[in-house]
Amino acid sequence: MIPLQLVTIALVGLGGLAVVTSRDPLRQTIVAGLYGLVLVVLFVVLQAPDVALSELVASTVAFPFIVLAALAKLRDRRRE
Amino acid sequence: MSRNVRLGLFAAAGAMLAALLVWGFTGLPAFGDFQGEYGWILNDVAGHERHVTNVVASVVFDYRGFDTLGEEFILFAAAIGVALLLREARDDRERPRDEVRSDAVRAVGLMLVGPTVVVGLYLVAHGYLTPGGGFQGGVAVAAGVVLLYAAGRYRAYSAASPHGLVELAEGAGAGAYAAVGVAALFAGGLFLENVVELGTRGTLASGGTIPILNAAAGLEVTAAVVLLLHEFLEEVMYPA
């Protein structure tokens, strides 16, 4: 295992911890998106660019968008 | 349950989980020690058997093309399902959120629309030459369209993704994939067999049916993701 791989794997661990420890759902969505980017870096470092691209589009487009839409909807409900 | 009992439970469960993990991890093959014989074989044969430079694409759209047909229809069914569940007949009420107040968000977002769409189209078009392909590229193109909403105006976004066209594209993409499979039968091959001229390796005209299936997947995924996100957006735009 080369140092770059070690550092990235450690970052993935820290990122996962950051997602779990953020309590506010809105903030957590953004942190989860950033965590996805760390995973993208990991896949690139492990020479899996196709997987990295899949992770990129899933974690930065599809997932946060749908969660944000759900959060916005919930906020509307609460206001009424 | 008191705090001490809960902590005790956690300690016991945590210790057991830790033991299981250590046991499991010590049995793993060494880092980088890849055991998948199939992968090595494909790396050796895909280049000259299918004339593609991205082996992953040859697996997705050829060797395992039938699995991808299933995946396409899963996405198709999911998008249709969301549309069926969430779509309601709506009157033309005033849209409350049709404005982005931050100039910075608007400027950066709108500047990114073009590049995002181009990157997405590039990923689709070169999917069998370099990393990427219909699935990833399709989501990227859809992201460009949705950026129009996120950073611009709902009206611009709706104009860029007319409903009828998106639905047509979704059906056409899914249908085209299956149609290529059936066409191979008429050409005397098996379902989804690569019967087209393979072309020159490393150029856009290579891979036989792989580019066609890749484009079909790109169309289907773009439309499905735009449709999915659209239905979710409508939920936010029209608070019920």
Side-chain angles (χ1 to χ4, degrees):
Chain A
M1 212 185 297
I2 61 170
L4 184 61
Q5 292 169 336
L6 271 177
V7 171
T8 333
I9 290 173
L11 277 178
V12 169
L14 285 176
L17 201 64
V19 175
V20 175
T21 50
S22 23
R23 308 305 300 181
D24 174 37
L26 187 62
R27 191 165 298 176
Q28 195 170 34
T29 313
I30 307 300
V31 177
L34 291 173
Y35 173 61
L37 283 182
V38 178
L39 279 179
V40 170
V41 174
L42 177 73
F43 292 138
V44 171
V45 166
L46 294 177
Q47 299 181 24
D50 267 282
V51 187
L53 282 167
S54 305
E55 175 64 34
L56 184 71
V57 293
S59 67
T60 59
V61 182
F63 172 70
F65 193 91
I66 286 171
V67 174
L68 284 178
L71 286 178
K73 183 85 179 162
L74 282 174
R75 194 165 291 183
D76 281 343
R77 286 260 166 84
R78 236 171 262 151
R79 266 200 208 121
E80 276 160 21
Chain B
M1 217 187 290
S2 78
R3 191 180 155 76
N4 280 339
V5 177
R6 271 186 294 171
L7 271 177
L9 258 179
F10 169 73
M16 271 191 276
L17 180 67
L20 255 175
L21 283 176
V22 169
W23 183 40
F25 282 135
T26 47
L28 281 179
F31 184 78
D33 180 20
F34 179 61
Q35 307 276 336
E37 207 46 52
Y38 193 48
W40 292 120
I41 295 171
L42 276 171
N43 268 349
D44 287 338
V45 301
H48 58 86
E49 268 189 16
R50 295 295 187 265
H51 295 203
V52 291
T53 46
N54 182 11
V55 176
V56 177
S58 76
V59 176
V60 172
F61 295 115
D62 191 326
Y63 296 112
R64 282 283 175 270
F66 189 68
D67 293 24
T68 311
L69 179 75
E71 279 168 35
E72 275 229 339
F73 278 91
I74 288 172
L75 186 62
F76 182 76
I80 298 291
V82 167
L84 275 175
L85 284 174
L86 294 184
R87 190 172 295 171
E88 314 158 29
R90 297 183 174 95
D91 46 27
D92 273 51
R93 278 172 291 178
E94 197 59 43
R95 277 144 184 155
R97 261 168 244 260
D98 191 14
E99 202 180 6
V100 178
R101 287 190 190 89
S102 156
D103 284 336
V105 168
R106 190 158 41 195
V108 174
L110 291 181
M111 264 192 318
L112 282 174
V113 171
T116 309
V117 172
V118 171
V119 166
L121 290 175
Y122 172 87
L123 285 176
V124 177
H126 293 73
Y128 46 101
L129 302 175
T130 51
F135 281 89
Q136 297 98 319
V139 184
V141 175
V145 176
V146 174
L147 260 180
L148 272 178
Y149 164 76
R153 283 177 169 273
Y154 183 81
R155 206 170 300 157
Y157 157 78
S158 316
S161 57
H163 229 94
L165 188 69
V166 172
E167 283 171 2
L168 186 71
E170 207 209 352
Y177 198 108
V180 171
V182 175
L185 292 176
F186 283 102
L190 301 168
F191 184 68
L192 276 175
E193 190 174 332
N194 201 333
V195 288
V196 180
E197 178 67 41
L198 287 173
T200 317
R201 191 179 168 192
T203 65
L204 278 176
S206 66
T209 51
I210 293 174
I212 308 171
L213 294 175
N214 178 50
L219 188 66
E220 208 272 327
V221 172
T222 306
V225 174
V226 168
L227 192 70
L228 275 173
L229 298 183
H230 176 83
E231 295 303 335
F232 277 89
L233 265 181
E234 291 274 286
E235 284 293 300
V236 183
M237 298 291 293
Y238 297 94

